[in-house]
Amino acid sequence: MRKKWALRAATLTIGAGAAPGLAVGTANAASLIQWDSTGQPVVCVQQAMNYLDNVGLSVDGRFGQNTCNAVYAYQGSKGIQQDGQVGPQTGGDIKADIYAVYLAAHHSGDWSTQSTMSSWTNSCNSRIPG
């Protein structure tokens, strides 16, 4: 009986410790964010495009023409197949780029940007594929 409770406690501790980190998993991520998608995953894509490419998207949670164009341009700049959709390849690159901005901000002492990227990661990393 003690072994069973010890195993449960260890599992809960490991799971709880992983949640707030920058490497949150993608268990709840949409498999594809594309034209006519709505909701928080789209908000995350729009914020990321604004942070990474300074495109000035309205963050409205609706994947329309402007969001599609921003994703298409981002894909082109990364050498990814340009389809205007956020799947595992594009989503993974977005996450990696956000993390790179976070690290650069951390090393330069730009606490505002570091905080913004950390907040984005904590709320969005699990909502985007990749």
Side-chain angles (χ1 to χ4, degrees):
M1 186 66 156
R2 283 187 182 196
K3 283 185 180 181
K4 183 186 271 186
W5 283 108
L7 180 59
R8 286 182 185 164
T11 303
L12 290 173
T13 301
I14 291 168
L22 286 174
V24 176
T26 58
N28 297 324
S31 60
L32 186 65
I33 304 168
Q34 61 188 345
W35 188 272
D36 280 341
S37 294
T38 59
Q40 192 62 35
V42 178
V43 166
C44 293
V45 170
Q46 292 168 332
Q47 289 173 332
M49 293 298 96
N50 286 340
Y51 297 150
L52 298 172
D53 289 343
N54 198 29
V55 293
L57 289 174
S58 291
V59 180
D60 60 7
R62 296 175 48 177
F63 199 114
Q65 189 64 55
N66 292 336
T67 303
C68 184
N69 291 345
V71 169
Y72 190 86
Y74 174 80
Q75 290 169 325
S77 74
K78 301 297 286 181
I80 304 169
Q81 178 183 347
Q82 292 178 280
D83 59 9
Q85 301 174 346
V86 180
Q89 176 70 52
T90 301
D93 279 15
I94 289 170
K95 292 176 189 183
D97 285 350
I98 290 285
Y99 186 64
V101 172
Y102 168 86
L103 285 178
H106 175 75
H107 291 298
S108 70
D110 181 353
W111 309 124
S112 176
T113 300
Q114 180 183 345
S115 177
T116 299
M117 296 305 106
S118 180
S119 293
W120 183 92
T121 299
N122 286 331
S123 37
C124 293
N125 207 36
S126 64
R127 298 178 192 272
I128 292 182

